[in-house]
Amino acid sequence: MRVFMTGAAGFIGQATTRELIANGHQVVGLARSDANAAVLEHLGAEVHRGSLEDLESLKAGAAKADGVIHLAFIHDFAKFAENGQVDKRAIEAMGDTLEGTGKPFIVTSGTGLIEAGMVITENIRRDASAHAPRVSEQAGLAYASRGVRAMTVRLPQVHGADGKAGLITYLLELARQKGKAARVGDGNERWAAAHRLDVARLYRLVLEKGTADGIYHAVGEEGVPMREIVDVIGRALNIPVISIAKEEAGAYYGPLAMFAGLDMPASSALTQKWLGWTPTQIGLIADIGQPGYFAS
């Protein structure tokens, strides 16, 4: 299958590109820079120049593909709402192009900010909310009723041996700037996690076997306690770990305060049953706790 992929040169995208090519697919990756293009060429992918804001480039890439995987997102939380709209327009440009073709169209979402106080499953739908301005899932799945095999993959905190670990990477940078690593209260809230190699394999399986309007969870660990995550950050930076009240979260976390203290566990039991996907890679704490993981 000829697959057009946004974010193909990114942290998860590179692993997904390798996974697809290793299993006989051809990848055409969106590249917004020469550096991204070089990465894609090294991986053996075809380069398609453009960006999320260049809707014509997205339409052209989708039109020539047998399927589309949309992984890219502008991760600037100070402009979260604005970037959510950039993402929505990009999804609609590609979705309109695929309308009526029956081709697979995978968009990317997250397991967090869906519903508080419960383990999130694939059967729980995401509602529109000002608290969660990223609307990738809603925008993408709308095309399931328009002749597209539209699906979404929800991501937890994704780690994988090169210094990145989803939102944890941003927490580490905050701790570095402030000289202390903070958790809210006792840090008992849980964040789901997965290794990027497991995540890449799931994207391939969804592309090959997923059903229209399907929601799939790339979750390897249902919930890792935040206190363990913050302890790893403290050791990695050799700085003190402190506890702050929920009311202090805004001052410490800034734009990331929306995630502070949130319990965000998620299950992938249905995904594993539906697609025969089994996570096999190292867990979050064991991975990011390795000496030098956050050295870069």
Side-chain angles (χ1 to χ4, degrees):
M1 191 181 298
R2 179 181 172 88
V3 183
F4 177 55
M5 189 190 310
T6 71
F11 170 60
I12 299 170
Q14 288 186 41
T16 305
T17 296
R18 292 190 188 97
E19 173 72 19
L20 291 174
I21 291 174
N23 285 274
H25 298 288
Q26 178 185 1
V27 175
V28 181
L30 183 72
R32 68 180 185 275
S33 67
D34 290 343
N36 285 345
V39 168
L40 293 173
E41 289 172 350
H42 177 73
L43 293 172
E46 182 179 328
V47 175
H48 180 91
R49 297 305 290 256
S51 69
L52 292 185
E53 296 92 341
D54 185 350
L55 302 185
E56 293 305 314
S57 74
L58 297 177
K59 292 176 183 178
K64 298 176 182 178
D66 300 314
V68 174
I69 297 177
H70 177 48
L71 262 168
F73 189 80
I74 303 171
H75 289 97
D76 179 352
F77 292 102
K79 299 180 179 179
F80 200 11
E82 178 183 329
N83 293 331
Q85 289 303 302
V86 170
D87 183 59
K88 181 176 184 287
R89 290 190 291 270
I91 289 170
E92 291 173 343
M94 293 182 285
D96 288 350
T97 302
L98 296 173
E99 186 169 358
T101 65
K103 294 178 179 179
F105 181 28
I106 303 171
V107 299
T108 301
S109 183
T111 57
L113 300 179
I114 296 178
E115 192 165 343
M118 63 190 306
V119 176
I120 301 303
T121 69
E122 297 88 338
N123 287 332
I124 298 175
R125 295 276 164 164
R126 183 186 295 278
D127 296 326
S129 168
H131 184 58
R134 181 175 181 177
V135 293
S136 317
E137 185 171 309
Q138 300 95 314
L141 293 181
Y143 287 92
S145 63
R146 296 171 62 180
V148 181
R149 185 156 61 93
M151 302 162 285
T152 189
V153 171
R154 287 176 177 165
L155 299 179
Q157 308 311 308
V158 180
H159 56 99
D162 72 347
K164 294 184 175 63
L167 292 174
I168 298 165
T169 308
Y170 296 93
L171 296 183
L172 179 118
E173 185 54 37
L174 271 176
R176 180 180 283 119
Q177 294 172 9
K178 295 177 178 293
K180 52 192 174 184
R183 64 173 186 266
V184 175
D186 293 332
N188 289 326
E189 71 273 20
R190 300 155 295 167
W191 286 9
H195 193 283
R196 68 170 178 165
L197 296 184
D198 286 326
V199 172
R201 185 157 42 86
L202 180 60
Y203 272 102
R204 176 178 62 80
L205 291 173
V206 173
L207 179 78
E208 296 172 347
K209 301 164 58 176
T211 59
D213 200 40
I215 296 174
Y216 301 95
H217 282 191
V219 172
E221 294 176 280
E222 186 172 292
V224 180
M226 180 53 66
R227 65 178 179 277
E228 296 183 19
I229 294 170
V230 175
D231 283 347
V232 169
I233 291 174
R235 290 195 300 272
L237 299 178
N238 194 27
I239 57 176
V241 172
I242 64 170
S243 173
I244 62 175
K246 180 71 172 178
E247 295 73 25
E248 301 175 90
Y252 179 91
Y253 290 102
L256 288 179
M258 70 180 78
F259 302 105
L262 287 184
D263 193 36
M264 301 190 292
S267 167
S268 63
L270 291 175
T271 295
Q272 295 186 47
K273 176 183 176 181
W274 293 333
L275 298 180
W277 175 73
T278 303
T280 60
Q281 299 295 321
I282 188 172
L284 174 67
I285 297 301
D287 196 11
I288 68 175
Q290 297 180 88
Y293 185 92
F294 289 117
S296 59

